[in-house]
Coordinates of all heavy atoms in Angstrom, one line a residue:
M15 N 0.8 -1.2 0.0 CA 0.0 0.0 0.0 C 0.9 1.3 0.0 O 1.9 1.3 0.7 CB -0.9 0.0 1.2 CG -2.2 0.7 1.1 SD -3.3 0.5 2.5 CE -4.1 -1.0 2.0
K16 N 0.6 2.2 -0.8 CA 1.4 3.4 -1.0 C 0.7 4.6 -0.3 O -0.5 4.8 -0.5 CB 1.6 3.7 -2.4 CG 2.6 4.8 -2.7 CD 2.8 5.0 -4.2 CE 3.9 6.0 -4.4 NZ 4.2 6.1 -5.8
Y17 N 1.4 5.3 0.5 CA 0.9 6.5 1.2 C 1.4 7.7 0.5 O 2.6 7.7 0.0 CB 1.4 6.5 2.7 CG 0.9 5.3 3.5 CD1 1.7 4.2 3.7 CD2 -0.3 5.4 4.1 CE1 1.2 3.1 4.6 CE2 -0.8 4.3 4.9 CZ 0.0 3.2 5.1 OH -0.5 2.2 5.8
I18 N 0.6 8.7 0.4 CA 1.0 9.9 -0.2 C 0.9 11.0 0.8 O -0.3 11.3 1.2 CB 0.1 10.2 -1.5 CG1 0.4 9.1 -2.5 CG2 0.5 11.6 -2.1 CD1 -0.6 9.2 -3.7
N19 N 1.9 11.7 1.1 CA 1.9 12.8 2.1 C 2.6 14.0 1.4 O 3.8 13.9 1.1 CB 2.6 12.4 3.3 CG 2.0 11.3 4.0 OD1 0.8 11.1 4.1 ND2 2.9 10.4 4.6
I20 N 1.8 15.0 1.1 CA 2.3 16.2 0.4 C 2.4 17.3 1.4 O 1.5 17.5 2.2 CB 1.4 16.5 -0.8 CG1 1.4 15.3 -1.8 CG2 1.9 17.8 -1.5 CD1 0.4 15.5 -2.9
I21 N 3.4 18.1 1.3 CA 3.5 19.3 2.2 C 3.6 20.5 1.3 O 4.5 20.6 0.4 CB 4.9 19.2 3.1 CG1 4.7 18.0 4.0 CG2 5.0 20.5 3.8 CD1 5.9 17.7 4.8
S22 N 2.8 21.5 1.5 CA 2.8 22.7 0.8 C 3.3 23.8 1.7 O 2.8 24.0 2.8 CB 1.4 23.1 0.3 OG 1.4 24.4 -0.3
T23 N 4.4 24.5 1.2 CA 5.0 25.5 2.1 C 4.8 26.9 1.5 O 5.4 27.9 1.8 CB 6.5 25.3 2.2 OG1 7.1 25.3 0.9 CG2 6.8 24.0 2.9
T24 N 3.8 27.0 0.6 CA 3.3 28.3 0.1 C 2.0 28.6 0.6 O 1.0 27.8 0.4 CB 3.3 28.3 -1.5 OG1 4.6 27.9 -2.0 CG2 2.9 29.6 -2.0
D25 N 1.9 29.7 1.3 CA 0.6 30.1 1.9 C -0.4 30.3 0.8 O -0.2 31.2 -0.1 CB 0.8 31.4 2.7 CG -0.5 31.8 3.5 OD1 -1.6 31.7 2.9 OD2 -0.4 32.2 4.7
P26 N -1.6 29.5 0.7 CA -2.4 29.6 -0.4 C -3.3 30.9 -0.4 O -3.8 31.3 -1.4 CB -3.4 28.5 -0.3 CG -3.3 28.2 1.2 CD -1.9 28.5 1.6
I27 N -3.2 31.6 0.7 CA -4.0 32.9 0.7 C -3.2 34.1 0.2 O -3.7 34.9 -0.5 CB -4.5 33.1 2.2 CG1 -5.4 32.0 2.7 CG2 -5.2 34.5 2.3 CD1 -6.6 31.7 1.8
N28 N -1.9 34.2 0.7 CA -1.2 35.3 0.2 C 0.0 35.0 -0.6 O 0.8 35.9 -1.0 CB -0.8 36.1 1.5 CG 0.1 35.4 2.4 OD1 0.8 34.4 2.0 ND2 0.1 35.8 3.7
G29 N 0.3 33.7 -0.9 CA 1.4 33.3 -1.8 C 2.8 33.4 -1.1 O 3.8 33.2 -1.8
F30 N 2.8 33.7 0.2 CA 4.1 33.8 0.9 C 4.7 32.4 1.0 O 4.1 31.5 1.4 CB 3.8 34.4 2.3 CG 5.1 34.7 3.1 CD1 5.9 35.8 2.8 CD2 5.4 33.8 4.1 CE1 7.0 36.0 3.5 CE2 6.6 34.1 4.9 CZ 7.4 35.2 4.6
N31 N 6.0 32.3 0.7 CA 6.8 31.1 0.8 C 7.2 30.9 2.2 O 8.0 31.7 2.8 CB 8.0 31.1 -0.1 CG 8.7 29.7 -0.1 OD1 8.0 28.7 0.1 ND2 9.9 29.7 -0.5
I32 N 6.8 29.9 2.9 CA 7.1 29.6 4.3 C 8.5 28.9 4.3 O 8.6 27.7 3.8 CB 6.0 28.7 5.0 CG1 4.7 29.3 4.8 CG2 6.4 28.6 6.5 CD1 4.4 30.7 5.3
T33 N 9.5 29.5 4.9 CA 10.8 28.8 4.9 C 11.1 28.1 6.3 O 11.8 27.2 6.3 CB 11.9 29.9 4.7 OG1 11.8 30.9 5.6 CG2 11.9 30.4 3.3
S34 N 10.5 28.6 7.4 CA 10.6 27.9 8.7 C 9.2 27.4 9.1 O 8.3 28.2 9.3 CB 11.1 28.9 9.7 OG 11.2 28.4 11.0
L35 N 9.1 26.1 9.2 CA 7.8 25.5 9.5 C 7.5 25.4 11.0 O 6.4 25.2 11.4 CB 7.7 24.1 8.8 CG 7.9 24.0 7.3 CD1 7.8 22.6 6.8 CD2 7.0 25.0 6.6
K36 N 8.6 25.5 11.8 CA 8.4 25.4 13.2 C 7.4 26.5 13.7 O 7.5 27.6 13.5 CB 9.7 25.6 14.0 CG 9.6 25.3 15.4 CD 10.9 25.4 16.1 CE 10.6 25.1 17.6 NZ 11.8 25.2 18.4
D37 N 6.4 25.9 14.5 CA 5.3 26.8 15.1 C 4.5 27.6 14.0 O 3.8 28.5 14.5 CB 5.9 27.7 16.1 CG 6.7 27.0 17.2 OD1 6.1 26.0 17.6 OD2 7.7 27.5 17.7
R38 N 4.5 27.2 12.8 CA 3.6 27.8 11.8 C 2.3 27.2 11.9 O 2.1 25.9 12.0 CB 4.2 27.8 10.4 CG 5.4 28.5 10.2 CD 5.1 30.0 10.1 NE 6.4 30.7 9.8 CZ 6.4 31.9 9.3 NH1 5.4 32.6 9.2 NH2 7.6 32.4 9.0
P39 N 1.2 28.0 11.7 CA -0.2 27.3 11.7 C -0.3 26.5 10.4 O 0.4 26.8 9.4 CB -1.1 28.5 11.6 CG -0.3 29.7 11.3 CD 1.1 29.4 11.6
H40 N -1.0 25.4 10.4 CA -1.1 24.5 9.3 C -2.5 23.8 9.3 O -3.2 23.8 10.4 CB 0.0 23.5 9.2 CG 0.1 22.6 10.3 ND1 0.6 22.9 11.5 CD2 -0.4 21.3 10.5 CE1 0.5 21.9 12.4 NE2 -0.1 20.9 11.7
V41 N -2.9 23.2 8.3 CA -4.1 22.4 8.1 C -3.6 21.1 7.4 O -2.8 21.1 6.4 CB -5.1 23.1 7.3 CG1 -6.3 22.2 7.0 CG2 -5.7 24.3 8.0
V42 N -4.2 20.0 7.9 CA -3.9 18.7 7.1 C -5.3 18.3 6.5 O -6.3 18.2 7.2 CB -3.5 17.6 8.1 CG1 -3.4 16.3 7.4 CG2 -2.2 18.0 8.8
E43 N -5.3 18.2 5.2 CA -6.4 17.8 4.4 C -6.2 16.4 3.9 O -5.1 16.0 3.6 CB -6.6 18.7 3.1 CG -6.8 20.2 3.4 CD -8.2 20.5 3.9 OE1 -9.0 19.6 4.0 OE2 -8.4 21.7 3.9
G44 N -7.3 15.6 3.9 CA -7.2 14.2 3.5 C -7.4 13.3 4.7 O -7.9 13.6 5.7
D45 N -6.8 12.1 4.5 CA -6.9 11.1 5.5 C -5.5 10.6 5.9 O -4.4 11.1 5.4 CB -7.8 10.0 5.1 CG -7.4 9.3 3.8 OD1 -6.2 9.2 3.5 OD2 -8.4 8.9 3.1
D46 N -5.4 9.5 6.6 CA -4.1 8.9 7.1 C -3.3 8.4 5.9 O -2.1 8.4 5.9 CB -4.3 7.8 8.1 CG -4.7 8.4 9.4 OD1 -4.5 9.6 9.7 OD2 -5.3 7.6 10.2
M47 N -4.0 7.9 4.8 CA -3.3 7.3 3.7 C -2.9 8.3 2.7 O -1.8 8.2 2.0 CB -4.2 6.2 3.0 CG -4.7 5.2 4.0 SD -4.2 3.5 3.7 CE -3.7 3.4 2.2
N48 N -3.7 9.3 2.4 CA -3.3 10.4 1.4 C -3.7 11.7 2.1 O -4.9 12.0 2.3 CB -4.2 10.1 0.2 CG -3.9 8.8 -0.4 OD1 -2.8 8.6 -0.9 ND2 -4.9 7.9 -0.5
N49 N -2.7 12.5 2.2 CA -3.0 13.8 2.8 C -2.1 14.9 2.3 O -1.1 14.7 1.7 CB -3.0 13.7 4.3 CG -1.6 13.4 4.9 OD1 -0.6 14.2 4.6 ND2 -1.5 12.4 5.6
L50 N -2.6 16.1 2.5 CA -1.9 17.3 2.1 C -1.8 18.2 3.4 O -2.8 18.5 4.0 CB -2.6 18.1 1.0 CG -2.2 19.5 0.7 CD1 -0.8 19.6 0.2 CD2 -3.1 20.1 -0.3
T51 N -0.5 18.6 3.8 CA -0.3 19.5 4.9 C 0.0 20.9 4.3 O 0.9 21.0 3.5 CB 0.9 19.0 5.8 OG1 0.6 17.8 6.3 CG2 1.0 20.0 7.0
I52 N -0.8 21.9 4.6 CA -0.7 23.2 4.1 C -0.3 24.2 5.2 O -1.0 24.2 6.3 CB -2.1 23.7 3.5 CG1 -2.6 22.7 2.5 CG2 -1.9 25.1 2.9 CD1 -4.1 23.0 2.1
Y53 N 0.9 24.7 5.0 CA 1.4 25.8 6.0 C 1.0 27.2 5.6 O 0.9 27.5 4.5 CB 2.9 25.6 6.1 CG 3.3 24.4 6.9 CD1 3.5 23.2 6.3 CD2 3.5 24.5 8.3 CE1 3.9 22.1 7.0 CE2 3.8 23.3 9.0 CZ 4.1 22.2 8.4 OH 4.4 21.1 9.1
F54 N 0.8 27.9 6.7 CA 0.3 29.4 6.5 C 1.3 30.3 7.2 O 1.9 29.9 8.2 CB -1.1 29.5 7.1 CG -2.1 28.6 6.4 CD1 -2.4 27.4 6.9 CD2 -2.8 29.2 5.4 CE1 -3.3 26.6 6.3 CE2 -3.8 28.3 4.8 CZ -4.0 27.1 5.2
E55 N 1.3 31.6 6.7 CA 2.2 32.6 7.2 C 1.8 32.9 8.7 O 2.6 33.1 9.5 CB 2.2 33.8 6.3 CG 3.0 34.9 6.9 CD 3.0 36.2 6.0 OE1 2.1 36.3 5.2 OE2 3.8 37.0 6.2
N56 N 0.5 33.0 8.9 CA -0.1 33.4 10.2 C -1.4 32.8 10.4 O -2.0 32.2 9.6 CB -0.1 34.9 10.3 CG -0.8 35.5 9.1 OD1 -1.9 35.1 8.8 ND2 -0.2 36.6 8.5
R57 N -2.0 33.0 11.6 CA -3.3 32.4 12.0 C -4.4 33.0 11.1 O -5.4 32.4 10.8 CB -3.5 32.6 13.4 CG -2.7 31.7 14.3 CD -3.0 31.8 15.7 NE -2.2 30.9 16.5 CZ -1.9 31.1 17.7 NH1 -2.3 32.2 18.4 NH2 -1.1 30.2 18.4
A58 N -4.3 34.3 10.8 CA -5.3 35.0 10.0 C -5.4 34.3 8.6 O -6.5 34.1 8.1 CB -5.0 36.5 9.9
S59 N -4.3 34.0 8.0 CA -4.3 33.3 6.7 C -5.0 31.9 6.8 O -5.8 31.5 6.0 CB -2.9 33.2 6.1 OG -2.5 34.3 5.5
R60 N -4.6 31.3 7.9 CA -5.2 29.9 8.1 C -6.7 30.0 8.3 O -7.5 29.2 7.7 CB -4.6 29.2 9.3 CG -5.1 27.9 9.6 CD -4.5 27.3 10.9 NE -5.0 26.0 11.2 CZ -6.0 25.7 11.9 NH1 -6.8 26.8 12.5 NH2 -6.5 24.5 12.2
Q61 N -7.2 31.0 9.0 CA -8.6 31.2 9.3 C -9.3 31.5 8.0 O -10.4 31.0 7.8 CB -8.8 32.2 10.4 CG -10.3 32.2 10.8 CD -10.7 30.8 11.4 OE1 -10.0 30.3 12.3 NE2 -11.8 30.2 10.9
T62 N -8.7 32.4 7.2 CA -9.3 32.8 5.9 C -9.5 31.5 5.0 O -10.6 31.3 4.4 CB -8.5 33.8 5.1 OG1 -8.4 35.0 5.9 CG2 -9.0 34.1 3.8
Y63 N -8.5 30.6 5.0 CA -8.6 29.4 4.3 C -9.7 28.5 4.8 O -10.5 27.9 4.1 CB -7.3 28.6 4.4 CG -7.3 27.3 3.8 CD1 -7.0 27.1 2.4 CD2 -7.5 26.1 4.5 CE1 -7.0 25.9 1.8 CE2 -7.4 24.9 4.0 CZ -7.2 24.8 2.5 OH -7.3 23.5 2.0
L64 N -9.8 28.3 6.1 CA -10.8 27.5 6.8 C -12.2 28.1 6.5 O -13.2 27.3 6.4 CB -10.6 27.4 8.3 CG -9.3 26.6 8.6 CD1 -9.1 26.6 10.2 CD2 -9.4 25.1 8.1
D65 N -12.4 29.4 6.4 CA -13.7 30.0 6.2 C -14.2 29.9 4.7 O -15.3 30.3 4.5 CB -13.6 31.5 6.6 CG -13.5 31.6 8.2 OD1 -13.8 30.6 8.9 OD2 -13.1 32.7 8.6
M66 N -13.3 29.6 3.8 CA -13.7 29.5 2.4 C -14.8 28.4 2.2 O -14.7 27.3 2.7 CB -12.5 29.2 1.5 CG -11.5 30.3 1.4 SD -10.2 30.1 0.1 CE -9.9 28.4 0.1
I67 N -15.8 28.9 1.4 CA -16.9 27.9 1.1 C -16.4 27.0 0.0 O -15.9 27.5 -1.0 CB -18.2 28.7 0.7 CG1 -18.6 29.5 1.9 CG2 -19.2 27.7 0.2 CD1 -19.8 30.4 1.6
V68 N -16.6 25.7 0.1 CA -16.2 24.8 -0.9 C -17.4 24.1 -1.5 O -18.2 23.6 -0.8 CB -15.3 23.7 -0.3 CG1 -14.8 22.7 -1.3 CG2 -14.0 24.4 0.4
E69 N -17.5 24.1 -2.8 CA -18.5 23.4 -3.5 C -18.2 21.9 -3.4 O -17.1 21.4 -3.5 CB -18.5 23.7 -5.0 CG -19.6 24.8 -5.4 CD -19.7 24.9 -6.8 OE1 -20.2 23.9 -7.5 OE2 -19.5 26.0 -7.3
Q70 N -19.3 21.1 -3.3 CA -19.2 19.7 -3.2 C -20.0 19.2 -4.4 O -21.2 18.8 -4.2 CB -19.7 19.2 -1.9 CG -18.9 19.7 -0.7 CD -19.3 19.3 0.6 OE1 -20.5 19.0 0.8 NE2 -18.5 19.3 1.6
P71 N -19.4 19.0 -5.6 CA -20.2 18.6 -6.7 C -20.7 17.2 -6.6 O -21.7 16.9 -7.4 CB -19.1 18.7 -7.9 CG -17.8 18.7 -7.2 CD -18.0 19.3 -5.8
E72 N -20.3 16.4 -5.8 CA -20.8 15.1 -5.6 C -22.2 15.0 -4.9 O -22.8 14.1 -5.0 CB -19.8 14.1 -5.0 CG -19.7 14.4 -3.5 CD -18.7 15.5 -3.1 OE1 -18.3 16.2 -4.0 OE2 -18.6 15.7 -1.9
R73 N -22.5 16.2 -4.4 CA -23.8 16.3 -3.7 C -24.7 17.3 -4.5 O -24.1 18.3 -5.0 CB -23.6 16.8 -2.3 CG -22.8 15.8 -1.4 CD -22.7 16.3 -0.1 NE -21.9 15.4 0.7 CZ -21.3 15.8 1.8 NH1 -21.5 17.0 2.3 NH2 -20.5 15.0 2.5
H74 N -25.9 17.1 -4.5 CA -26.8 18.0 -5.2 C -26.4 18.3 -6.6 O -26.3 19.5 -7.0 CB -27.0 19.3 -4.4 CG -27.2 19.0 -2.9 ND1 -28.3 18.5 -2.4 CD2 -26.4 19.3 -1.8 CE1 -28.3 18.3 -1.1 NE2 -27.1 18.8 -0.7
M75 N -26.1 17.3 -7.4 CA -25.6 17.5 -8.7 C -26.6 18.3 -9.6 O -26.1 19.1 -10.4 CB -25.3 16.1 -9.4 CG -24.2 15.4 -8.9 SD -22.6 16.2 -9.4 CE -22.5 15.6 -11.1
A76 N -27.9 18.1 -9.4 CA -28.8 18.9 -10.3 C -28.7 20.4 -10.1 O -28.6 21.1 -11.1 CB -30.2 18.4 -9.9
S77 N -28.5 20.8 -8.9 CA -28.3 22.3 -8.7 C -26.9 22.8 -9.1 O -26.7 23.9 -9.6 CB -28.7 22.7 -7.3 OG -27.9 22.1 -6.4
T78 N -26.0 22.0 -8.8 CA -24.6 22.3 -9.1 C -24.4 22.4 -10.6 O -23.7 23.4 -11.1 CB -23.6 21.3 -8.5 OG1 -23.8 21.2 -7.2 CG2 -22.2 21.6 -8.9
L79 N -25.0 21.5 -11.4 CA -24.8 21.5 -12.8 C -25.9 22.3 -13.6 O -26.0 22.2 -14.8 CB -24.7 20.1 -13.3 CG -23.5 19.4 -12.8 CD1 -23.6 17.9 -13.3 CD2 -22.2 20.0 -13.2
S80 N -26.9 22.9 -12.8 CA -28.0 23.5 -13.5 C -28.8 22.5 -14.3 O -29.2 22.8 -15.3 CB -27.6 24.7 -14.3 OG -27.0 25.7 -13.5
N81 N -28.9 21.3 -13.7 CA -29.6 20.2 -14.4 C -30.7 19.7 -13.5 O -30.5 19.2 -12.5 CB -28.6 19.1 -14.7 CG -29.1 18.0 -15.5 OD1 -30.3 17.9 -15.6 ND2 -28.2 17.2 -16.0
S82 N -31.9 19.9 -14.0 CA -33.1 19.5 -13.2 C -33.5 18.1 -13.3 O -34.4 17.7 -12.6 CB -34.3 20.4 -13.6 OG -34.6 20.2 -15.0
T83 N -32.8 17.3 -14.1 CA -33.2 15.9 -14.2 C -32.6 15.1 -13.1 O -31.5 15.4 -12.6 CB -32.8 15.3 -15.6 OG1 -31.3 15.3 -15.7 CG2 -33.4 16.1 -16.7
A84 N -33.2 14.0 -12.7 CA -32.8 13.2 -11.7 C -31.6 12.3 -12.0 O -30.8 11.9 -11.3 CB -33.9 12.3 -11.2
D85 N -31.5 12.0 -13.4 CA -30.4 11.1 -13.9 C -29.2 11.9 -14.4 O -28.2 11.3 -14.8 CB -31.0 10.1 -14.9 CG -31.5 10.8 -16.2 OD1 -31.3 12.1 -16.3 OD2 -31.9 10.2 -17.0
Y86 N -29.3 13.2 -14.4 CA -28.1 14.0 -14.8 C -27.7 13.9 -16.2 O -26.5 14.1 -16.5 CB -27.0 13.9 -13.8 CG -27.4 13.9 -12.4 CD1 -27.2 12.8 -11.6 CD2 -28.0 15.0 -11.9 CE1 -27.6 12.8 -10.3 CE2 -28.5 15.0 -10.5 CZ -28.2 13.9 -9.8 OH -28.7 14.0 -8.4
S87 N -28.6 13.4 -17.0 CA -28.1 13.0 -18.5 C -28.5 14.1 -19.4 O -28.1 14.0 -20.6 CB -28.7 11.7 -18.8 OG -30.2 11.8 -18.9
H88 N -29.2 15.1 -19.1 CA -29.6 16.1 -20.1 C -28.9 17.4 -19.8 O -28.6 17.8 -18.8 CB -31.1 16.3 -20.0 CG -31.9 15.2 -20.4 ND1 -32.6 14.4 -19.4 CD2 -32.1 14.4 -21.5 CE1 -33.2 13.4 -20.0 NE2 -32.9 13.4 -21.3

């Protein structure tokens, strides 16, 4: 079994490159087998990231795709 652990050291909110990871705020997305650790310049950037609304296209497909059919084929 292959585990994938990716570390991002670029703050996704402000584009700042994090050179020292010690004591930097971070978020781990994913699960134990496949995850992404995202580091942030500060707590405000982390909170902005956490507050972002994320679309979940696997739910409510009809409204997400502007498709009123139940089978999503039209």
Side-chain angles (χ1 to χ4, degrees):
M15 207 173 269
K16 188 174 184 177
Y17 296 98
I18 299 173
N19 301 319
I20 300 170
I21 297 173
S22 173
T23 58
T24 301
D25 185 317
I27 301 304
N28 61 23
F30 185 78
N31 187 27
I32 310 298
T33 56
S34 174
L35 303 181
K36 185 177 180 183
D37 298 324
R38 292 287 185 163
H40 65 279
V41 170
V42 178
E43 299 281 6
D45 56 37
D46 291 338
M47 305 243 342
N48 299 297
N49 64 57
L50 167 64
T51 302
I52 306 167
Y53 283 90
F54 298 88
E55 180 183 14
N56 53 46
R57 289 184 178 154
S59 279
R60 179 181 181 273
Q61 192 60 52
T62 298
Y63 176 84
L64 292 173
D65 291 343
M66 289 188 325
I67 297 172
V68 177
E69 260 191 64
Q70 297 177 337
E72 72 280 4
R73 298 181 187 161
H74 313 293
M75 287 290 278
S77 61
T78 300
L79 299 176
S80 299
N81 186 343
S82 60
T83 64
D85 64 4
Y86 314 118
S87 63
H88 296 110

